[in-house]
Amino acid sequence: QVQLVESGGGLVQAGGSLRLSCAASGLTFSRYAMGWFRQAPGKEREFVAAIGWSVGNTNYKDSVKGRFTISRDNAKNTVYLQMNSLKPEDTAVYYCAADSRRISATPNYWGQGTQVTVSS
């Protein structure tokens, strides 16, 4: 079955960096658009970033543009989210998502999530 396994979360001070990874299995990775979402306590899950089949096709939430970078390695079946200049408001559980067409609010598959906590 399809599995998306996130890693790389943790506790970091404001201004610091983290790199999240999402390893996919059970699907033809290169044929899937991949994305990252996040959910803070008491808030709805929100879109963060997405990357299409082509590594040049990316999209970001406005508040993370210039700070976060999404990338993928099709040889490793892995998508990454490099997060720089982290802010306390970036604190959330971050989820990986996969869709056979394009990333929307209801992707085909979700990962289990990884916690990111940014201290002030």
Side-chain angles (χ1 to χ4, degrees):
Q1 77 267 22
V2 174
Q3 282 193 311
L4 303 177
V5 180
E6 301 98 333
S7 61
L11 173 64
V12 65
Q13 288 188 330
S17 298
L18 283 175
R19 188 175 82 154
L20 304 183
S21 300
C22 171
S25 60
L27 50 74
T28 305
F29 182 76
S30 61
R31 292 295 188 180
Y32 276 74
M34 301 297 296
W36 290 94
F37 290 73
R38 67 187 182 188
Q39 187 167 20
K43 295 188 176 180
E44 304 228 335
R45 191 174 298 191
E46 63 179 8
F47 167 80
V48 175
I51 185 166
W53 297 4
S54 166
V55 296
N57 183 13
T58 58
N59 189 27
Y60 296 93
K61 176 182 174 62
D62 284 347
S63 64
V64 308
K65 286 180 181 177
R67 300 189 298 123
F68 291 10
T69 302
I70 188 170
S71 61
R72 65 189 297 159
D73 185 337
N74 288 343
K76 295 183 177 180
N77 286 5
T78 300
V79 62
Y80 304 97
L81 186 67
Q82 178 67 45
M83 305 186 294
N84 299 329
S85 302
L86 282 161
K87 304 176 181 180
E89 51 264 43
D90 294 319
T91 294
V93 177
Y94 282 70
Y95 296 90
C96 177
D99 198 283
S100 59
R101 299 183 66 182
R102 56 177 169 69
I103 292 298
S104 67
T106 55
N108 297 144
Y109 304 105
W110 290 104
Q112 83 288 351
T114 186
Q115 176 71 47
V116 171
T117 303
V118 184
S119 64
S120 57

